[in-house]
Amino acid sequence: LKHKRPDDVAALWVYVISVFEKSSPLRAMLVKSISEPAREMYMTIEEDLLARGQRIGKKLGRAKGKAEGKAEAVLGVLEHRQVPVSPAIRRRVLATQDELELKRWFERAFTVRSAEALFESRQAQSRRRGGTAVAGSGRARGGRRLAAA
């Protein structure tokens, strides 16, 4: 192909080749038809993209594994305390990937009376217990210390 910007043509070939499976006869024909420098460029780009994808996959896998472990810990504490957990709550906890949220739920799992209470704010828990929180003090009116949620 004659073109004023040969790098663009080579990049186009790299893209076209990349959309086919390695076992595709059409892909093999295209690879044979490009120049050696373009073929080497394609192979280098392909290797770089595969390596990058593997690194990203490992990071995502580790993060997902950590979140799953924390979710299982939350459910384990509730089970140990014999707090009933509905299928919907189990799904919600297991689907959560936010590690800070899971940490809060884990801490609350030791004190909540129901699995639903995991998701309540501290103010809602205090109101449900009958105490009105005094902002920033950690104490209810009358000086009673609020339980950590």
Side-chain angles (χ1 to χ4, degrees), residues 9 14 35 50 83 93 108 118:
V9 173
V14 167
S35 68
L50 286 173
V83 175
V93 171
R108 289 179 185 169
L118 284 174

Side-chain angles (χ1 to χ4, degrees), residues 80-92:
H80 180 76
R81 294 186 55 234
Q82 299 179 347
V83 175
V85 177
S86 71
I89 289 178
R90 179 175 298 282
R91 282 191 302 273
R92 179 176 176 183

Side-chain angles (χ1 to χ4, degrees), residues 39-57:
R39 192 175 308 134
E40 288 174 9
M41 180 181 78
Y42 164 72
M43 298 302 177
T44 301
I45 291 172
E46 181 182 40
E47 290 167 3
D48 288 348
L49 290 174
L50 286 173
R52 186 180 311 159
Q54 288 171 346
R55 284 192 305 272
I56 291 170

Side-chain angles (χ1 to χ4, degrees), residues 59-91:
K59 284 181 183 177
L60 290 174
R62 279 192 295 268
K64 185 176 180 185
K66 285 174 71 175
E68 286 174 1
K70 288 180 180 184
E72 290 290 346
V74 169
L75 296 170
V77 169
L78 294 172
E79 181 181 324
H80 180 76
R81 294 186 55 234
Q82 299 179 347
V83 175
V85 177
S86 71
I89 289 178
R90 179 175 298 282
R91 282 191 302 273

Side-chain angles (χ1 to χ4, degrees), residues 7-26:
D7 289 343
D8 290 349
V9 173
L12 177 63
W13 277 116
V14 167
Y15 171 75
V16 169
I17 291 169
S18 70
V19 299
F20 293 100
E21 295 288 325
K22 287 193 182 260
S23 61
S24 167
L26 186 54

